[in-house]
Amino acid sequence: MIKAYAALEPKGKLTEFEYDPGELGHQEVEIEVDYCGICHSDLSMINNEWGLSAYPLVAGHEVVGKIAKVGDHVTHLKAGQLVGLGWHADYCQACSHCNAGDHNLCLTAQGTIVGHHGGFADKVRVNAKSVVPLPSGIDSKTAGPLFCGGITVFNPLVQFDIKPTDKVAVIGIGGLGHLALQFLNAWGCEVTAFTSSESKSAEARSLGAHHTLNSRDVAEIDGAANRFDYIISTVNVKLDWNLYLSTLKPKGRLHFVGATLDPLDINVFGLIMQQRSISGSPVGSPGNIAKMLEFAAQHNIKPMVEMFKFSQVNEALAHLESGKARYRIVLEK
């Protein structure tokens, strides 16, 4: 039996829950969970904000632990190996996206916490192809958030050919944004942080921002017209997107990784006349997760985390929901 913490209804408190995973699949591995980050997506799934949730729901998709069991068709992983697991627990491995290495775009990919029990548990079972070994130089205690938050902000750098000479801005300095600043600085970009909190300006600079702009000061944003090659939005709230578009250079890109649920109110002439683009992306493929981990190890990029015991999962979720987390939360045994 696998022992876990599950929500039994939308917005419900997590309670102790056990389930029988059955026989280990030929292509599966069982991970003994040492640490599991808590992402805002876990909270959204627990609360059924996206209409995808099925209960009992075991959240947790930023898993780090050691492999306890290996399916008899798995050859690239072994028992005792330290690994991580992110948003996806399996892929079809036959579609054009999987064949091209874009597993994260697989239309039938299995979510780790969507119709599948995740990492708020002592163990989790997934397809071996979704698991990525931790390289040396990565701290296992803080690595979990890299498997969702980290890859979410790293993947666009690869997908959209962000150059070291680019001027890049980050909207929102939180769980995603504080990692984006670190990655972009190490990438070589000139980095600006948009933040609504004056108290975060100094911290943003310490994380890699060369400049900061007050996102509540329209005049200050107006003064940044035509400045940026690329803007990455990590927030989940509605903003004046036309104002931010005006800060892009011709051919600039506004890219979304924060899951704002409000429709985008865009003046299309702001796109057409300057040939600007709007885009979005999910997490990355296992191959890009491995690249991200190597890059993070080389440049000493680490999530800032607050630690809670697994038994404190409800307190940890309440802390996240309060908006006071700085900046990621990790559960430990």
Side-chain angles (χ1 to χ4, degrees):
M1 301 294 285
I2 289 180
K3 298 180 180 180
Y5 291 92
L8 304 182
E9 60 185 2
K11 300 183 179 181
K13 293 287 185 181
L14 273 59
T15 59
E16 292 184 2
F17 170 71
E18 290 189 0
Y19 69 94
D20 184 354
E23 291 187 12
L24 186 69
H26 296 306
Q27 303 287 353
E28 286 186 323
V29 294
E30 182 174 275
I31 303 170
E32 186 176 334
V33 181
D34 293 322
Y35 305 100
C36 188
I38 301 182
C39 174
H40 203 279
S41 298
D42 292 309
L43 192 59
S44 294
M45 286 295 296
I46 290 168
N47 293 340
N48 198 24
E49 292 175 3
W50 301 336
L52 301 174
S53 305
Y55 301 88
L57 188 146
V58 179
H61 60 278
E62 297 180 345
V63 175
V64 171
K66 296 181 181 67
I67 293 179
K69 297 179 182 178
V70 178
D72 55 14
H73 289 180
V74 177
T75 58
H76 67 291
L77 298 170
K78 59 184 180 181
Q81 194 168 5
L82 187 62
V83 298
L85 168 72
W87 181 255
H88 290 123
D90 197 1
Y91 312 95
C92 81
Q93 300 175 53
C95 68
S96 60
H97 303 298
C98 287
N99 289 336
D102 293 323
H103 297 75
N104 56 308
L105 302 181
C106 174
L107 297 179
T108 57
Q110 171 65 63
T112 300
I113 62 172
V114 183
H116 181 277
H117 291 321
F120 290 177
D122 61 347
K123 298 181 183 69
V124 62
R125 284 190 183 177
V126 295
N127 188 284
K129 295 294 186 182
S130 65
V131 172
V132 181
L134 263 65
S136 60
I138 292 289
D139 178 11
S140 61
K141 187 173 184 177
T142 60
L146 291 174
F147 282 83
C148 182
I151 188 58
T152 295
V153 297
F154 180 85
N155 195 47
L157 305 186
V158 177
Q159 301 295 333
F160 296 98
D161 191 28
I162 305 303
K163 298 176 176 59
T165 53
D166 283 346
K167 294 183 178 181
V168 181
V170 178
I171 303 175
I173 311 307
L176 291 173
H178 91 286
L179 287 167
L181 294 178
Q182 295 181 68
F183 277 115
L184 288 164
N185 181 284
W187 204 256
C189 300
E190 181 180 315
V191 187
T192 297
F194 282 108
T195 177
S196 61
S197 171
E198 287 293 337
S199 64
K200 286 187 180 180
S201 292
E203 190 167 39
R205 290 176 183 271
S206 71
L207 288 165
H210 301 100
H211 317 283
T212 60
L213 289 172
N214 187 339
S215 60
R216 293 180 177 173
D217 189 330
V218 174
E220 197 167 317
I221 299 176
D222 279 338
N226 299 299
R227 181 182 300 181
F228 305 116
D229 298 284
Y230 177 81
I231 299 173
I232 182 169
S233 173
T234 70
V235 298
N236 62 356
V237 296
K238 185 176 182 178
L239 298 176
D240 184 348
W241 301 117
N242 291 303
L243 182 61
Y244 285 95
L245 278 171
S246 73
T247 68
L248 287 171
K249 295 178 183 178
K251 295 189 178 182
R253 179 182 297 275
L254 172 59
H255 188 77
F256 288 89
V257 294
T260 177
L261 298 180
D262 293 297
L264 302 182
D265 182 9
I266 299 296
N267 181 346
V268 73
F269 281 101
L271 301 179
I272 292 173
M273 300 307 293
Q274 298 295 317
Q275 203 172 317
R276 295 168 174 141
S277 302
I278 296 175
S279 55
S281 63
V283 294
S285 66
N288 279 339
I289 292 173
K291 290 178 184 177
M292 177 270 301
L293 292 172
E294 292 287 354
F295 188 84
Q298 289 174 17
H299 295 278
N300 196 32
I301 294 170
K302 294 182 179 180
M304 295 175 62
V305 304
E306 298 180 71
M307 306 299 297
F308 287 77
K309 297 294 185 182
F310 274 92
S311 59
Q312 298 174 300
V313 63
N314 285 304
E315 293 92 327
L317 287 165
H319 185 56
L320 174 64
E321 195 163 21
S322 74
K324 296 178 181 177
R326 293 292 182 271
Y327 283 102
R328 305 293 291 197
I329 296 173
V330 174
L331 301 175
E332 63 179 343
K333 287 182 178 179

